[in-house]
Every structure is written in structure tokens, then in C-alpha cells.
Amino acid sequence: MSDSLRIPILLGSVREGRMAEPVGHWVHEAAAAHPGLACEIVDLKAWNLPFYAYPKPPAAGHYADPLQQRWAETIAAADGFILIAPEYNHGPSAVLKNALDTVYAEWNRKPCAFVSYGGVGGARAVEQLTCTARELQMAPIEAAVHLMGVWGKVHDGRFAPDERDARALDKLFTELLWWGQALKAAREG
């Protein structure tokens, strides 16, 4: 579908044996059933973005590094985002926060949704990421998916959602589609 929203699913962990991978693939497969969403997985492990190594702040808009420029192009091409957000020590993973901090304007005026796991379903990570998203002028949607007991739901490398997980993800897609279309029209208008 040509007018589908381009929605990267960012895998927010690079750890060995990470849960972000099976959870992200579940989200990606489920998104295929929603017309209007064109999702793709963006694995932060493959990007290996350096931690704030650039001479100018991203908000200045001067991206001198080729990797930072490629990241900016990837983010600019998107109409919204789904962040697979593990909770580490009551907050988001450093690699996910760093990915958000690497560029600035390319995130602006786009919706973002969260699928999280960890302590209390990753709620504290989402709370902090919501603040970051707002500072990046993104529109964090309320319909987050907080996965409880994620480690017991992965079998042979695949995430097996329960009914609550599936309902929450369906609601997330519905809200992301609405906000994505509204903000895309506003950006283009």
C-alpha cells in the first residue's frame, strides 16, 4: 500500500540473549495484519552508534559524521516509531536513549509507541522515554504495551503473547495509525 505509514520498530537492546529480538519480531509479524502500517525492524545492534561523540549537539542540525548522517536519513524517512524498550535499573537501556539522542529534527512531529518489558512491565523505562520523546517534539501515544513475565513467554526464540498482550498491541496499532496519519497530514500540509 503506497500510502502506508513507514514505522521502524527499534530493537532497544544489544545484549546477548536479548528479549528485544523475539518481542520485536512478534510486533513486526502482528503489524502485517494492519493495513496502513509498513513496519520494518531496525536493530540498534547493527548500527553501533557511538555515545555522544559528535562535536556539535544534534539539535544544531549539523551532522558531520557519515554514520550520524545515515541514522538521520533512516529516522527522517519514518512516519512514526515503535520502540521496543527493556527496563534496565528502573530506566531505559542506554543504547535506546543514545539512539534517540544521536539526531534531533528527524524525530520531530512524529508519533512514537512503546512495547516494554522488565520490572513492572517496563513502565519506568517508558515513563522516562516519554519525557525524552516530548523533548524531541515527538508525540508519544498513550497505548503502550507493558509485557509482564516476558522471559516465560519466549519459547524456541519466539515470543508467545497472552491474550492481554495481543489486545494491548492491537490497541497500540490502532492509535499509532490514527496519530501517524494525522501528523503526516499536518507535516505535509
Side-chain angles (χ1 to χ4, degrees):
M1 174 181 264
S2 62
D3 59 346
S4 291
L5 298 173
R6 293 187 61 185
I7 307 291
I9 300 167
L10 276 65
L11 301 185
S13 174
V14 297
R15 283 185 173 174
E16 200 63 38
R18 60 197 168 147
M19 292 292 117
E21 202 163 12
V23 168
H25 286 287
W26 165 62
V27 171
H28 185 255
E29 290 168 11
H34 289 265
L37 295 177
C39 293
E40 65 177 308
I41 291 178
V42 174
D43 192 345
L44 295 180
K45 193 171 196 172
W47 278 88
N48 198 25
L49 297 167
F51 281 81
Y52 211 83
Y54 307 114
K56 295 189 180 196
H62 302 287
Y63 305 144
D65 182 79
L67 179 61
Q68 187 182 29
Q69 290 170 351
R70 280 196 349 263
W71 183 243
E73 290 165 6
T74 298
I75 300 309
D79 295 310
F81 309 92
I82 298 173
L83 307 181
I84 307 299
E87 183 173 309
Y88 295 165
N89 301 314
H90 289 216
S93 68
V95 70
L96 181 54
K97 176 67 166 73
N98 184 61
L100 293 167
D101 290 342
T102 298
V103 296
Y104 180 76
E106 295 74 12
W107 299 107
N108 295 177
R109 297 179 176 90
K110 297 174 185 177
C112 68
F114 305 98
V115 176
S116 63
Y117 57 90
V120 294
R124 296 167 295 214
V126 169
E127 181 177 30
Q128 291 177 35
L129 288 168
T130 297
C131 292
T132 299
R134 285 190 181 115
E135 184 61 26
L136 291 169
Q137 299 183 45
M138 297 169 77
I141 66 170
E142 186 66 27
V145 178
H146 298 282
L147 301 171
M148 305 300 282
V150 71
W151 293 268
K153 296 177 182 176
V154 174
H155 308 286
D156 297 322
R158 294 187 54 84
F159 181 74
D162 60 27
E163 189 177 314
R164 183 195 149 283
D165 300 333
R167 276 194 320 269
L169 186 60
D170 190 57
K171 182 177 179 185
L172 180 147
F173 289 142
T174 299
E175 290 297 307
L176 184 60
L177 188 59
W178 190 93
W179 282 100
Q181 290 170 336
L183 290 172
K184 184 176 182 179
R187 286 192 314 274
E188 293 174 350

